[in-house]
Structure formats: C-alpha cells, structure tokens
Amino acid sequence: MRTANAALTGGSLLAGLLVAVSLGTSTTEPVLAQAGTVGSWRTVTRTVPINPVHAALMRNGEVLMVAGSGNVATETNYRATVWDPVTETFDTQPLGWDMFCNGMVTLHDGRVLVNGGNLQYDPFYGEPRNAVFDPMTGVFTNIQNMAHGRWYPTVTTLGDGRVMTFSGLLETGGTNTAVEIYTVGSGWSQQYAAGWTPPLYPRMHLSTDGRVFYSGSTRSSRFFN
C-alpha cells in the first residue's frame, strides 16, 4: 500500500525561515507550514461512484468512503469505495449489510471501525453489527455485535486505544442511551447508563485529561473517565 509523504515547498520553507527570523531564533531543523494555510481546493477529475455518506482518512493516505444503501430505501446493493488521492482512482466493493448512517473511527492499529448502521427505513432502526476495514488487505471483517442497535451514533477513540460508542437509534426505534466500550481483541464491554438521552450523532471529543467531552446545543457534559 502507498504511504503518504510530506514535502516542503519553496513557499512553506520561506515562510518557516521568516517565522524563525521574526522570533529571533536560529535552528537547523526545517519549519513545516500548516497545510491548511498554504493549500487550496480543486475538483478532482473523477466523480465518486457511490454516495459518500461517511469517510475516514487511513494511515496509508487513502480514504475509505461508505454509502451502504446511501439513503435510498429500495437500494440493496450496499457499497463502499476506497479513493487513492495520488492516482485519483476508486476501488469499489459490495458490503454484506447496510452500513448507512454508521459511526466510523480509526483504531490505533490503522484499521477502520464501522459501528452500527441501518436495519430498516422509515422509521429508521439501528444495526447492532460492526465491521473493521483493513487498509492493507482492503477487506471488511465483521466483529462482535453490540448489545443493541445504533443508527447515527458517535464513536470516539480513547487514549488507551479503546473505542466508546454513544447514541444512535435502537433496533426497535428510540434513542440508545447506553455507552459501550470496544477493546480490540476482546470485544464489547457491558453497557453503561449515561443518565440522560443524547441527540443523534452527538459531537464527542477526547479531553487532555482522558475524559470524553460532549458539547451540544443545550448542554455540555463530561461523563466518562
């Protein structure tokens, strides 16, 4: 698999030297400019062959995109694709189940965890299934099911490599208010009661103190250590 390489441009090197001079410092180490301050947007030549509902940047520089049914209730040809930004090509493959509206996060070992998905349409019910995608082999592998379904959850990688999932619709409808923790090699933990009902797809972030922070429109809470 291809490894993404970072290189200094003439402009970024000059910017780094100017910063060093302005601060009155000297160094023999190159100063890298932030890509977001020197980059630019452009439209790639090829369109995505699926509806890219969820995407994850992988450590090899390629991007995994998952559509599942892609918000089409009659679609049973569930698909995902991997985009190579160097060649601007797509490698598309079928999926064994509908990963539409999953939660997705990169594990510490470089694989991508797909958490939950769509069990049925209108009303939407959540899938209890999960899968991991290995960028080295290009293969999805199903792993242990969760206790209950999740449609539109959030998954957050913790500092020790475990993954926390929260919210999403249950396999019978209604919001899943329990927290579950996934550990590579041993599977899912018991459920933890959150004590309140989160919105679908809550925004979760790992704090520097190791706890997970949720920031919503009406409340903020740290609830996991």
Side-chain angles (χ1 to χ4, degrees), residues 38 43 57 129 142 173 200:
V38 298
T43 302
L57 174 63
R129 285 187 277 189
N142 287 342
L200 295 181

Side-chain angles (χ1 to χ4, degrees), residues 60-116:
N60 61 1
E62 297 176 344
V63 180
L64 172 67
M65 304 178 190
V66 174
S69 57
N71 202 28
V72 179
T74 57
E75 180 62 74
T76 58
N77 180 23
Y78 311 135
R79 294 187 296 167
T81 192
V82 173
W83 179 56
D84 185 334
V86 176
T87 62
E88 295 190 1
T89 56
F90 295 92
D91 183 11
T92 304
Q93 63 175 286
L95 299 172
W97 49 278
D98 192 1
M99 298 179 186
F100 172 59
C101 283
N102 68 83
M104 190 186 296
V105 74
T106 303
L107 302 173
H108 279 195
D109 61 12
R111 295 178 300 161
V112 178
L113 171 66
V114 177
N115 175 241

